[in-house]
Short mmCIF file of all heavy atoms in Angstrom, two decimals:
data_model
loop_
_atom_site.label_atom_id
_atom_site.label_comp_id
_atom_site.label_asym_id
_atom_site.label_seq_id
_atom_site.Cartn_x
_atom_site.Cartn_y
_atom_site.Cartn_z
N LEU A 1177 0.86 -1.23 0.02
CA LEU A 1177 -0.04 0.01 0.04
C LEU A 1177 0.85 1.21 -0.02
O LEU A 1177 0.64 2.22 -0.83
CB LEU A 1177 -0.91 -0.03 1.22
CG LEU A 1177 -1.69 1.26 1.50
CD1 LEU A 1177 -2.73 1.51 0.27
CD2 LEU A 1177 -2.43 1.19 2.73
N LEU A 1178 1.81 1.27 0.90
CA LEU A 1178 2.72 2.47 0.98
C LEU A 1178 3.55 2.65 -0.29
O LEU A 1178 3.64 3.74 -0.81
CB LEU A 1178 3.78 2.32 2.13
CG LEU A 1178 4.70 3.44 2.37
CD1 LEU A 1178 3.90 4.72 2.66
CD2 LEU A 1178 5.66 3.11 3.43
N GLY A 1179 3.91 1.53 -0.92
CA GLY A 1179 4.74 1.71 -2.21
C GLY A 1179 3.78 2.24 -3.33
O GLY A 1179 4.30 3.14 -4.09
N VAL A 1180 2.66 1.79 -3.41
CA VAL A 1180 1.72 2.26 -4.47
C VAL A 1180 1.45 3.73 -4.36
O VAL A 1180 1.45 4.58 -5.18
CB VAL A 1180 0.46 1.45 -4.50
CG1 VAL A 1180 -0.65 2.11 -5.40
CG2 VAL A 1180 0.66 0.03 -4.99
N LEU A 1181 1.17 4.15 -3.09
CA LEU A 1181 0.86 5.54 -2.75
C LEU A 1181 2.08 6.48 -2.98
O LEU A 1181 1.91 7.62 -3.55
CB LEU A 1181 0.37 5.71 -1.27
CG LEU A 1181 -1.13 5.37 -1.05
CD1 LEU A 1181 -1.47 5.37 0.39
CD2 LEU A 1181 -2.00 6.35 -1.79
N LEU A 1182 3.26 6.05 -2.69
CA LEU A 1182 4.37 6.83 -2.89
C LEU A 1182 4.64 7.08 -4.42
O LEU A 1182 5.04 8.16 -4.75
CB LEU A 1182 5.68 6.27 -2.16
CG LEU A 1182 5.67 6.32 -0.59
CD1 LEU A 1182 6.86 5.59 -0.02
CD2 LEU A 1182 5.71 7.75 -0.10
N GLN A 1183 4.56 6.04 -5.14
CA GLN A 1183 4.73 6.04 -6.60
C GLN A 1183 3.70 7.01 -7.20
O GLN A 1183 3.94 7.72 -8.17
CB GLN A 1183 4.62 4.69 -7.22
CG GLN A 1183 5.79 3.85 -6.89
CD GLN A 1183 7.01 4.24 -7.74
OE1 GLN A 1183 7.81 5.15 -7.26
NE2 GLN A 1183 7.26 3.63 -8.93
N PHE A 1184 2.56 7.05 -6.59
CA PHE A 1184 1.39 7.89 -7.04
C PHE A 1184 1.82 9.34 -6.99
O PHE A 1184 1.33 10.24 -7.69
CB PHE A 1184 0.17 7.68 -6.18
CG PHE A 1184 -1.06 8.45 -6.59
CD1 PHE A 1184 -1.60 8.43 -7.90
CD2 PHE A 1184 -1.70 9.23 -5.65
CE1 PHE A 1184 -2.66 9.19 -8.26
CE2 PHE A 1184 -2.79 9.97 -5.95
CZ PHE A 1184 -3.28 9.88 -7.24
N ARG A 1185 2.70 9.75 -6.06
CA ARG A 1185 3.13 11.12 -5.86
C ARG A 1185 4.38 11.47 -6.62
O ARG A 1185 4.82 12.60 -6.60
CB ARG A 1185 3.42 11.46 -4.36
CG ARG A 1185 2.37 10.95 -3.36
CD ARG A 1185 1.02 11.54 -3.81
NE ARG A 1185 1.01 12.94 -3.68
CZ ARG A 1185 0.13 13.75 -4.28
NH1 ARG A 1185 -0.79 13.17 -5.21
NH2 ARG A 1185 0.22 15.06 -4.28
N GLN A 1186 4.88 10.55 -7.40
CA GLN A 1186 6.18 10.81 -8.14
C GLN A 1186 6.10 11.75 -9.31
O GLN A 1186 7.01 12.67 -9.49
CB GLN A 1186 6.72 9.44 -8.64
CG GLN A 1186 8.15 9.50 -9.12
CD GLN A 1186 8.72 8.10 -9.41
OE1 GLN A 1186 7.97 7.11 -9.36
NE2 GLN A 1186 9.93 8.02 -9.83
N TYR A 1187 5.07 11.63 -10.04
CA TYR A 1187 5.00 12.46 -11.33
C TYR A 1187 3.76 13.37 -11.35
O TYR A 1187 2.86 13.16 -10.53
CB TYR A 1187 5.00 11.61 -12.53
CG TYR A 1187 6.32 10.70 -12.69
CD1 TYR A 1187 6.21 9.33 -12.60
CD2 TYR A 1187 7.52 11.36 -12.82
CE1 TYR A 1187 7.41 8.58 -12.65
CE2 TYR A 1187 8.72 10.64 -12.98
CZ TYR A 1187 8.61 9.30 -12.88
OH TYR A 1187 9.80 8.47 -12.97
N PRO A 1188 3.72 14.38 -12.25
CA PRO A 1188 2.62 15.45 -12.07
C PRO A 1188 1.19 15.03 -12.60
O PRO A 1188 0.23 15.51 -12.08
CB PRO A 1188 3.09 16.58 -12.98
CG PRO A 1188 4.19 15.88 -13.92
CD PRO A 1188 4.70 14.75 -13.13
N ILE A 1189 1.16 14.00 -13.45
CA ILE A 1189 -0.15 13.68 -14.02
C ILE A 1189 -0.61 12.42 -13.32
O ILE A 1189 0.09 11.34 -13.43
CB ILE A 1189 -0.15 13.35 -15.51
CG1 ILE A 1189 0.50 14.68 -16.23
CG2 ILE A 1189 -1.45 13.12 -15.98
CD1 ILE A 1189 -0.28 15.97 -15.98
N ALA A 1190 -1.69 12.42 -12.64
CA ALA A 1190 -2.25 11.29 -11.83
C ALA A 1190 -3.34 10.58 -12.61
O ALA A 1190 -4.15 11.19 -13.24
CB ALA A 1190 -2.73 11.88 -10.41
N LEU A 1191 -3.42 9.27 -12.39
CA LEU A 1191 -4.43 8.45 -12.93
C LEU A 1191 -5.02 7.56 -11.90
O LEU A 1191 -4.16 6.90 -11.09
CB LEU A 1191 -3.92 7.61 -14.09
CG LEU A 1191 -3.85 8.23 -15.49
CD1 LEU A 1191 -3.03 7.32 -16.41
CD2 LEU A 1191 -5.13 8.65 -16.07
N VAL A 1192 -6.31 7.44 -11.74
CA VAL A 1192 -6.93 6.53 -10.75
C VAL A 1192 -8.11 5.83 -11.38
O VAL A 1192 -8.78 6.52 -12.21
CB VAL A 1192 -7.46 7.27 -9.56
CG1 VAL A 1192 -8.22 6.49 -8.62
CG2 VAL A 1192 -6.22 7.84 -8.81
N ALA A 1193 -8.23 4.54 -11.23
CA ALA A 1193 -9.48 3.73 -11.75
C ALA A 1193 -9.59 2.53 -10.85
O ALA A 1193 -8.82 2.31 -9.96
CB ALA A 1193 -9.21 3.34 -13.14
N ASP A 1194 -10.59 1.77 -11.04
CA ASP A 1194 -10.73 0.52 -10.37
C ASP A 1194 -11.47 -0.55 -11.31
O ASP A 1194 -12.16 -0.19 -12.11
CB ASP A 1194 -11.41 0.56 -8.95
CG ASP A 1194 -12.82 0.98 -9.05
OD1 ASP A 1194 -13.62 0.45 -9.88
OD2 ASP A 1194 -13.26 1.86 -8.23
N ILE A 1195 -11.21 -1.78 -10.87
CA ILE A 1195 -11.74 -2.91 -11.66
C ILE A 1195 -13.14 -3.16 -11.08
O ILE A 1195 -13.35 -3.35 -9.94
CB ILE A 1195 -10.89 -4.20 -11.51
CG1 ILE A 1195 -9.49 -3.87 -12.17
CG2 ILE A 1195 -11.55 -5.38 -12.18
CD1 ILE A 1195 -8.53 -5.02 -11.91
N ALA A 1196 -14.16 -3.23 -11.93
CA ALA A 1196 -15.46 -3.47 -11.60
C ALA A 1196 -15.61 -4.98 -11.19
O ALA A 1196 -15.33 -5.85 -11.89
CB ALA A 1196 -16.38 -3.07 -12.73
N GLY A 1197 -16.09 -5.11 -9.94
CA GLY A 1197 -16.34 -6.55 -9.43
C GLY A 1197 -15.23 -7.47 -9.64
O GLY A 1197 -15.40 -8.50 -10.30
N MET A 1198 -14.07 -7.09 -9.17
CA MET A 1198 -12.87 -7.85 -9.51
C MET A 1198 -12.95 -9.37 -9.25
O MET A 1198 -12.64 -10.15 -10.17
CB MET A 1198 -11.63 -7.29 -8.79
CG MET A 1198 -10.40 -7.99 -8.99
SD MET A 1198 -8.98 -7.13 -8.17
CE MET A 1198 -7.63 -8.27 -8.56
N PHE A 1199 -13.39 -9.71 -8.02
CA PHE A 1199 -13.53 -11.14 -7.74
C PHE A 1199 -14.42 -11.88 -8.69
O PHE A 1199 -14.19 -13.08 -9.05
CB PHE A 1199 -13.94 -11.33 -6.26
CG PHE A 1199 -12.90 -10.77 -5.25
CD1 PHE A 1199 -13.27 -10.75 -3.97
CD2 PHE A 1199 -11.65 -10.37 -5.70
CE1 PHE A 1199 -12.33 -10.26 -2.95
CE2 PHE A 1199 -10.74 -9.94 -4.73
CZ PHE A 1199 -11.03 -9.86 -3.33
N ASN A 1200 -15.65 -11.19 -8.96
CA ASN A 1200 -16.65 -11.83 -9.85
C ASN A 1200 -16.13 -12.10 -11.22
O ASN A 1200 -16.73 -12.73 -12.02
CB ASN A 1200 -17.82 -10.99 -9.92
CG ASN A 1200 -18.64 -11.00 -8.55
OD1 ASN A 1200 -19.15 -9.97 -8.21
ND2 ASN A 1200 -18.55 -12.08 -7.91
N GLN A 1201 -15.02 -11.38 -11.66
CA GLN A 1201 -14.46 -11.66 -13.01
C GLN A 1201 -13.62 -12.90 -13.09
O GLN A 1201 -13.19 -13.19 -14.22
CB GLN A 1201 -13.69 -10.38 -13.38
CG GLN A 1201 -14.36 -9.08 -13.33
CD GLN A 1201 -15.69 -9.03 -13.87
OE1 GLN A 1201 -15.98 -9.53 -14.97
NE2 GLN A 1201 -16.60 -8.32 -13.17
N VAL A 1202 -13.30 -13.47 -12.01
CA VAL A 1202 -12.60 -14.75 -12.02
C VAL A 1202 -13.41 -15.83 -11.78
O VAL A 1202 -14.09 -15.96 -10.66
CB VAL A 1202 -11.38 -14.73 -11.00
CG1 VAL A 1202 -10.58 -15.98 -10.98
CG2 VAL A 1202 -10.48 -13.47 -11.13
N LYS A 1203 -13.58 -16.79 -12.63
CA LYS A 1203 -14.54 -17.85 -12.67
C LYS A 1203 -14.07 -19.03 -11.81
O LYS A 1203 -12.87 -19.20 -11.60
CB LYS A 1203 -14.88 -18.41 -14.06
CG LYS A 1203 -15.50 -17.32 -15.00
CD LYS A 1203 -16.85 -16.84 -14.42
CE LYS A 1203 -17.52 -15.79 -15.35
NZ LYS A 1203 -18.77 -15.36 -14.75
N VAL A 1204 -14.98 -19.81 -11.32
CA VAL A 1204 -14.63 -21.04 -10.64
C VAL A 1204 -15.14 -22.20 -11.43
O VAL A 1204 -16.15 -22.11 -12.17
CB VAL A 1204 -15.21 -21.13 -9.14
CG1 VAL A 1204 -14.67 -20.08 -8.31
CG2 VAL A 1204 -16.69 -21.05 -9.18
N PRO A 1205 -14.45 -23.37 -11.41
CA PRO A 1205 -14.93 -24.49 -12.18
C PRO A 1205 -16.27 -25.04 -11.64
O PRO A 1205 -16.57 -24.78 -10.43
CB PRO A 1205 -13.86 -25.51 -12.04
CG PRO A 1205 -13.00 -25.14 -10.83
CD PRO A 1205 -13.14 -23.63 -10.72
N PRO A 1206 -17.06 -25.69 -12.43
CA PRO A 1206 -18.41 -26.24 -12.01
C PRO A 1206 -18.42 -26.98 -10.73
O PRO A 1206 -19.29 -26.90 -9.83
CB PRO A 1206 -18.80 -27.02 -13.22
CG PRO A 1206 -18.19 -26.49 -14.41
CD PRO A 1206 -16.82 -26.10 -13.83
N GLU A 1207 -17.34 -27.86 -10.38
CA GLU A 1207 -17.37 -28.67 -9.31
C GLU A 1207 -17.23 -27.76 -8.01
O GLU A 1207 -17.72 -28.05 -7.01
CB GLU A 1207 -16.21 -29.70 -9.35
CG GLU A 1207 -14.82 -29.13 -9.51
CD GLU A 1207 -14.43 -29.00 -10.92
OE1 GLU A 1207 -15.29 -28.89 -11.77
OE2 GLU A 1207 -13.15 -28.96 -11.16
N ASP A 1208 -16.54 -26.60 -8.15
CA ASP A 1208 -16.37 -25.68 -6.96
C ASP A 1208 -17.68 -24.74 -6.87
O ASP A 1208 -17.90 -24.29 -5.72
CB ASP A 1208 -15.12 -24.74 -7.11
CG ASP A 1208 -13.91 -25.55 -6.88
OD1 ASP A 1208 -13.95 -26.65 -6.22
OD2 ASP A 1208 -12.85 -24.97 -7.19
N SER A 1209 -18.35 -24.55 -7.90
CA SER A 1209 -19.64 -23.76 -7.86
C SER A 1209 -20.59 -24.44 -6.84
O SER A 1209 -21.47 -23.76 -6.19
CB SER A 1209 -20.25 -23.65 -9.07
OG SER A 1209 -19.52 -22.74 -10.02
N ASP A 1210 -20.56 -25.74 -6.60
CA ASP A 1210 -21.36 -26.34 -5.76
C ASP A 1210 -21.25 -25.96 -4.27
O ASP A 1210 -22.12 -26.08 -3.46
CB ASP A 1210 -21.14 -27.97 -5.84
CG ASP A 1210 -22.34 -28.75 -5.39
OD1 ASP A 1210 -23.61 -28.23 -5.71
OD2 ASP A 1210 -22.30 -29.76 -4.82
N ALA A 1211 -20.10 -25.45 -3.97
CA ALA A 1211 -19.76 -25.01 -2.57
C ALA A 1211 -20.19 -23.52 -2.40
O ALA A 1211 -20.09 -22.99 -1.40
CB ALA A 1211 -18.32 -25.09 -2.26
N LEU A 1212 -20.68 -22.95 -3.49
CA LEU A 1212 -21.12 -21.57 -3.52
C LEU A 1212 -22.61 -21.38 -3.82
O LEU A 1212 -23.15 -20.45 -4.54
CB LEU A 1212 -20.38 -20.79 -4.47
CG LEU A 1212 -18.80 -20.84 -4.42
CD1 LEU A 1212 -18.12 -20.06 -5.55
CD2 LEU A 1212 -18.39 -20.23 -3.04
N ARG A 1213 -23.48 -22.31 -3.23
CA ARG A 1213 -24.96 -22.26 -3.44
C ARG A 1213 -25.46 -21.13 -2.43
O ARG A 1213 -24.91 -20.94 -1.39
CB ARG A 1213 -25.59 -23.62 -3.12
CG ARG A 1213 -25.28 -24.62 -4.10
CD ARG A 1213 -26.09 -25.88 -3.88
NE ARG A 1213 -25.80 -27.02 -4.72
CZ ARG A 1213 -26.61 -28.10 -4.82
NH1 ARG A 1213 -27.74 -28.19 -4.17
NH2 ARG A 1213 -26.17 -29.07 -5.67
N PHE A 1214 -26.60 -20.63 -2.81
CA PHE A 1214 -27.34 -19.72 -1.86
C PHE A 1214 -28.81 -19.80 -2.19
O PHE A 1214 -29.22 -20.16 -3.26
CB PHE A 1214 -26.78 -18.25 -1.98
CG PHE A 1214 -26.85 -17.66 -3.36
CD1 PHE A 1214 -28.07 -16.83 -3.59
CD2 PHE A 1214 -26.00 -17.76 -4.27
CE1 PHE A 1214 -28.17 -16.21 -4.84
CE2 PHE A 1214 -26.12 -17.14 -5.51
CZ PHE A 1214 -27.20 -16.33 -5.83
N LEU A 1215 -29.61 -19.38 -1.25
CA LEU A 1215 -31.07 -19.28 -1.41
C LEU A 1215 -31.51 -17.88 -1.69
O LEU A 1215 -30.96 -16.90 -1.07
CB LEU A 1215 -31.60 -19.88 -0.21
CG LEU A 1215 -31.32 -21.13 0.25
CD1 LEU A 1215 -31.91 -21.60 1.61
CD2 LEU A 1215 -31.73 -22.35 -0.79
N TRP A 1216 -32.49 -17.71 -2.61
CA TRP A 1216 -32.97 -16.36 -2.91
C TRP A 1216 -34.28 -16.53 -3.61
O TRP A 1216 -34.62 -17.46 -4.11
CB TRP A 1216 -31.84 -15.63 -3.79
CG TRP A 1216 -32.39 -14.19 -4.15
CD1 TRP A 1216 -32.70 -13.71 -5.44
CD2 TRP A 1216 -32.63 -13.11 -3.33
NE1 TRP A 1216 -33.08 -12.45 -5.47
CE2 TRP A 1216 -32.98 -12.00 -4.01
CE3 TRP A 1216 -32.57 -12.93 -1.90
CZ2 TRP A 1216 -33.33 -10.79 -3.61
CZ3 TRP A 1216 -32.83 -11.71 -1.36
CH2 TRP A 1216 -33.19 -10.63 -2.22
N TRP A 1217 -35.16 -15.45 -3.47
CA TRP A 1217 -36.41 -15.33 -3.98
C TRP A 1217 -36.38 -14.69 -5.50
O TRP A 1217 -35.79 -13.59 -5.64
CB TRP A 1217 -37.41 -14.55 -3.09
CG TRP A 1217 -37.49 -15.08 -1.76
CD1 TRP A 1217 -38.31 -16.08 -1.38
CD2 TRP A 1217 -36.78 -14.61 -0.60
NE1 TRP A 1217 -38.18 -16.21 0.07
CE2 TRP A 1217 -37.22 -15.32 0.54
CE3 TRP A 1217 -35.89 -13.62 -0.43
CZ2 TRP A 1217 -36.78 -15.18 1.74
CZ3 TRP A 1217 -35.37 -13.39 0.88
CH2 TRP A 1217 -35.78 -14.26 1.95
N GLU A 1218 -37.05 -15.33 -6.35
CA GLU A 1218 -37.11 -14.80 -7.74
C GLU A 1218 -38.04 -13.65 -7.88
O GLU A 1218 -37.97 -12.76 -8.77
CB GLU A 1218 -37.47 -15.87 -8.73
CG GLU A 1218 -36.41 -17.01 -8.95
CD GLU A 1218 -36.74 -17.95 -10.07
OE1 GLU A 1218 -36.37 -17.58 -11.20
OE2 GLU A 1218 -37.45 -18.92 -9.74
N THR A 1219 -39.09 -13.65 -7.01
CA THR A 1219 -40.02 -12.53 -6.93
C THR A 1219 -40.24 -11.79 -5.67
O THR A 1219 -39.58 -12.16 -4.70
CB THR A 1219 -41.38 -13.17 -7.30
OG1 THR A 1219 -41.81 -14.01 -6.22
CG2 THR A 1219 -41.49 -13.90 -8.62
N ASN A 1220 -40.77 -10.64 -5.77
CA ASN A 1220 -40.88 -9.73 -4.62
C ASN A 1220 -41.82 -10.40 -3.50
O ASN A 1220 -41.80 -9.77 -2.33
CB ASN A 1220 -41.58 -8.33 -4.98
CG ASN A 1220 -40.49 -7.52 -5.68
OD1 ASN A 1220 -39.33 -7.64 -5.45
ND2 ASN A 1220 -40.92 -6.77 -6.66
N ASP A 1221 -42.53 -11.43 -3.57
CA ASP A 1221 -43.36 -11.90 -2.60
C ASP A 1221 -42.65 -12.61 -1.43
O ASP A 1221 -43.28 -12.96 -0.41
CB ASP A 1221 -44.43 -12.80 -3.22
CG ASP A 1221 -43.91 -14.03 -3.92
OD1 ASP A 1221 -42.70 -14.35 -3.68
OD2 ASP A 1221 -44.69 -14.66 -4.58
N LEU A 1222 -41.34 -12.89 -1.70
CA LEU A 1222 -40.56 -13.47 -0.67
C LEU A 1222 -41.06 -14.79 -0.14
O LEU A 1222 -41.00 -15.16 1.06
CB LEU A 1222 -40.26 -12.54 0.45
CG LEU A 1222 -39.69 -11.20 0.17
CD1 LEU A 1222 -39.56 -10.38 1.49
CD2 LEU A 1222 -38.40 -11.22 -0.54
N GLU A 1223 -41.76 -15.58 -1.19
CA GLU A 1223 -42.24 -16.91 -0.74
C GLU A 1223 -41.45 -17.94 -1.65
O GLU A 1223 -41.06 -17.71 -2.73
CB GLU A 1223 -43.67 -17.02 -1.07
CG GLU A 1223 -44.53 -16.02 -0.21
CD GLU A 1223 -44.44 -16.37 1.29
OE1 GLU A 1223 -44.24 -17.53 1.58
OE2 GLU A 1223 -44.76 -15.41 2.03
#
């Protein structure tokens, strides 16, 4: 963290951005997806 911030102050033109949903961009194989189940309602009635 300190190294990145210090380099950020080195030159006059600054650039900042971030990766959208970084973890979600890395896929898991189907056999591991089985450990990532969850329950959710498809409709607003919450039934």
